[in-house]
mmCIF file of all heavy atoms in Angstrom:
data_model
loop_
_atom_site.group_PDB
_atom_site.id
_atom_site.type_symbol
_atom_site.label_atom_id
_atom_site.label_comp_id
_atom_site.label_asym_id
_atom_site.label_seq_id
_atom_site.Cartn_x
_atom_site.Cartn_y
_atom_site.Cartn_z
ATOM 1 N N GLY A 71 100.627 111.827 68.366
ATOM 2 C CA GLY A 71 101.240 112.206 69.634
ATOM 3 C C GLY A 71 100.374 113.128 70.457
ATOM 4 O O GLY A 71 100.812 113.648 71.488
ATOM 5 N N GLU A 128 98.840 111.815 81.716
ATOM 6 C CA GLU A 128 99.303 111.279 82.997
ATOM 7 C C GLU A 128 98.882 112.205 84.135
ATOM 8 O O GLU A 128 98.449 111.744 85.201
ATOM 9 C CB GLU A 128 100.813 111.109 82.978
ATOM 10 C CG GLU A 128 101.303 109.957 82.112
ATOM 11 C CD GLU A 128 102.813 109.863 82.065
ATOM 12 O OE1 GLU A 128 103.470 110.568 82.868
ATOM 13 O OE2 GLU A 128 103.342 109.100 81.246
ATOM 14 N N TYR A 143 92.820 97.459 91.206
ATOM 15 C CA TYR A 143 91.544 98.137 90.973
ATOM 16 C C TYR A 143 91.722 99.270 89.963
ATOM 17 O O TYR A 143 90.866 99.477 89.095
ATOM 18 C CB TYR A 143 90.992 98.673 92.290
ATOM 19 C CG TYR A 143 89.539 99.087 92.231
ATOM 20 C CD1 TYR A 143 88.538 98.158 91.983
ATOM 21 C CD2 TYR A 143 89.158 100.415 92.427
ATOM 22 C CE1 TYR A 143 87.201 98.523 91.924
ATOM 23 C CE2 TYR A 143 87.826 100.797 92.375
ATOM 24 C CZ TYR A 143 86.861 99.846 92.131
ATOM 25 O OH TYR A 143 85.541 100.214 92.065
ATOM 26 N N THR A 164 101.050 81.469 72.472
ATOM 27 C CA THR A 164 100.258 80.311 72.883
ATOM 28 C C THR A 164 100.728 79.726 74.210
ATOM 29 O O THR A 164 99.930 79.378 75.061
ATOM 30 C CB THR A 164 100.332 79.219 71.797
ATOM 31 O OG1 THR A 164 99.856 79.774 70.581
ATOM 32 C CG2 THR A 164 99.475 78.034 72.173
ATOM 33 N N THR A 178 85.616 87.345 85.948
ATOM 34 C CA THR A 178 84.245 87.714 86.312
ATOM 35 C C THR A 178 83.714 86.665 87.277
ATOM 36 O O THR A 178 83.738 85.465 86.991
ATOM 37 C CB THR A 178 83.333 87.782 85.077
ATOM 38 O OG1 THR A 178 83.872 88.739 84.152
ATOM 39 C CG2 THR A 178 81.922 88.207 85.468
ATOM 40 N N ASN A 181 78.810 86.867 91.190
ATOM 41 C CA ASN A 181 77.987 88.028 91.546
ATOM 42 C C ASN A 181 78.134 89.183 90.563
ATOM 43 O O ASN A 181 77.592 90.270 90.765
ATOM 44 C CB ASN A 181 78.320 88.513 92.957
ATOM 45 C CG ASN A 181 79.759 88.997 93.095
ATOM 46 O OD1 ASN A 181 80.535 88.918 92.139
ATOM 47 N ND2 ASN A 181 80.124 89.469 94.275
#
Side-chain angles (χ1 to χ4, degrees):
E128 288 177 11
Y143 194 64
T164 302
T178 302
N181 63 357

